[in-house]
Amino acid sequence: MRAMQVTAYDEPLSLRELELPVPRPGEVLVRIDTCGLNFGDTLMIKGTYQEKPPLPFTIGMELAGRVVGLGDGVTTLAKDQRIAAYAGFGGLSEYAVLPAEVCVPIPDEMDAVDAAAFLIAYGTSHVALDYKAGLKPGERLLVLGASGGVGLTAVELGKLMGAEVIACARGKEKLEICRKLGADHLIDSDTDDIRAVVKSLGGADVVYDPIGGDQFKAAMRACNPEARLLPLGFASGEVPQIPANILLVKNLTVLGFYWGGYARIKPGVLTDSFRTLIDWYVAGRIKPHVSNVLPLEQANEALDLLRTRKATGKVVVQVSQPE
């Protein structure tokens, strides 16, 4: 089988031929159709992600495909069943062996591109806004990095959950996509004063932040009393230092959030979220926004779209051609 692998940190991926893996008890062999890329994949390539597999390894945190082999003891899945999975890594490969428990059956209504763009982006935003922040109808939600893969889902889900959504992104073109997905107010992070605009709108009750840096600082100072802040990542490259005196004065809550960690500490949170999200998808209430689909051989170019922030929504790699 072919796979795009990290053979040295901070270097382009290499296309390599590997032996087909064999599922062990409790695992399934999956023929991968599509792989959704995430900012965390770029950090894995650098060797700076919170999980660091030994070299060489195959990146690709989320994937969609079809079960083609069953290990002993697997009873929850069947051969030829379509699934999506949060694998952590391994998605940029034509086949992968995965624990059966991380595979989510997907409905016929969901195509392979949508399935690969679904779990992390929607799952992250849904668990963050619903389970962690307890977003309520009528609250004001500020989404930083709103045109990115997770940012757009936060805009879409925030609106679906009844919030007044402020989307912050770079440039009119990206902001227009946010508006189409439900944003009530738009902030251009290149030209607008985030703090001033948010305060003029009445302040933020919940802040969703995959960016960090100066944007987090500005958002925190535009929060209403008892607001909740969700730092999800630091695409700016700067991890903000949070002044406790501001938290104290406004009774703010900062909620540390790593979506993937729930697979280990509380998997039921993820499975409950997936069930809700898939129901919303089938009902036509949500639809992944995929800006680019590239073949496996062009995975390096696909990753560059994330690094340079040229993508809006998700970037998906077509690993295997549909049969």
Side-chain angles (χ1 to χ4, degrees):
M1 67 177 190
R2 299 182 306 156
M4 290 292 282
Q5 288 204 306
V6 179
T7 56
Y9 290 120
D10 220 11
E11 295 291 335
L13 303 181
S14 300
L15 184 61
R16 305 182 72 202
E17 291 281 344
L18 305 176
E19 292 292 325
L20 198 68
V22 177
R24 295 173 296 184
E27 295 179 336
V28 293
L29 176 65
V30 175
R31 180 186 182 272
I32 299 173
D33 294 322
T34 49
C35 174
L37 297 183
N38 295 273
F39 189 73
D41 292 314
T42 68
L43 300 181
M44 274 197 166
I45 293 170
K46 288 183 177 181
T48 58
Y49 194 64
Q50 49 259 50
E51 297 178 32
K52 194 173 180 180
L55 293 170
F57 64 91
T58 306
I59 64 163
M61 296 181 176
E62 61 183 330
L63 58 90
R66 195 175 293 272
V67 175
V68 295
L70 301 172
D72 291 342
V74 175
T75 59
T76 55
L77 297 170
K79 279 190 177 181
D80 209 37
Q81 187 166 11
R82 297 178 66 236
I83 61 95
Y86 169 67
F89 53 93
L92 289 182
S93 177
E94 291 177 324
Y95 292 86
V97 163
L98 303 171
E101 62 187 12
V102 308
C103 298
V104 179
I106 55 177
D108 292 339
E109 296 92 334
M110 183 179 287
D111 65 33
V113 171
D114 278 359
F118 194 82
L119 293 186
I120 292 179
Y122 278 113
T124 295
S125 292
H126 184 247
V127 175
L129 296 176
D130 184 57
Y131 178 79
K132 288 291 284 187
L135 180 67
K136 302 177 184 65
E139 288 193 308
R140 196 170 294 110
L141 167 66
L142 171 60
V143 181
L144 303 178
S147 65
V150 293
L152 275 179
T153 62
V155 170
E156 190 178 3
L157 293 180
K159 190 65 177 176
L160 186 59
M161 294 165 69
E164 180 183 344
V165 180
I166 307 170
C168 180
R170 284 181 170 179
K172 292 181 180 179
E173 183 179 341
K174 292 182 177 181
L175 287 170
E176 177 60 18
I177 294 171
C178 298
R179 186 192 63 77
K180 289 180 178 178
L181 287 178
D184 299 286
H185 311 284
L186 307 174
I187 298 176
D188 190 328
S189 58
D190 277 341
T191 59
D192 293 334
D193 183 327
I194 295 173
R195 178 185 180 187
V197 175
V198 174
K199 287 180 74 69
S200 74
L201 294 170
D205 300 305
V206 175
V207 175
Y208 180 102
D209 177 24
I211 303 298
D214 290 339
Q215 291 193 30
F216 178 90
K217 298 171 189 174
M220 182 171 59
R221 285 166 171 78
C223 279
N224 291 326
E226 295 195 316
R228 291 89 73 201
L229 297 97
L230 291 153
L232 291 90
F234 314 105
S236 67
E238 179 187 344
V239 178
Q241 302 304 302
I242 302 169
N245 62 312
I246 294 179
L247 303 183
L248 183 151
V249 170
K250 288 191 174 183
N251 285 299
L252 302 180
T253 301
V254 178
L255 298 161
F257 180 67
Y258 170 40
W259 178 83
Y262 280 102
R264 292 186 296 272
I265 63 173
K266 230 176 194 181
V269 170
L270 300 188
T271 54
D272 288 348
S273 174
F274 291 153
R275 196 172 297 115
T276 297
L277 291 167
I278 289 174
D279 286 347
W280 285 350
Y281 178 92
V282 172
R285 302 182 74 186
I286 56 176
K287 168 74 174 175
H289 181 84
V290 178
S291 62
N292 303 85
V293 180
L294 288 84
L296 182 64
E297 298 83 357
Q298 294 180 30
N300 285 307
E301 290 92 326
L303 288 160
D304 282 339
L305 292 171
L306 296 184
R307 294 188 186 100
T308 59
R309 301 190 195 179
K310 291 181 180 176
T312 54
K314 292 290 289 188
V315 176
V316 172
V317 172
Q318 186 78 48
V319 177
S320 302
Q321 293 304 313
E323 294 179 336

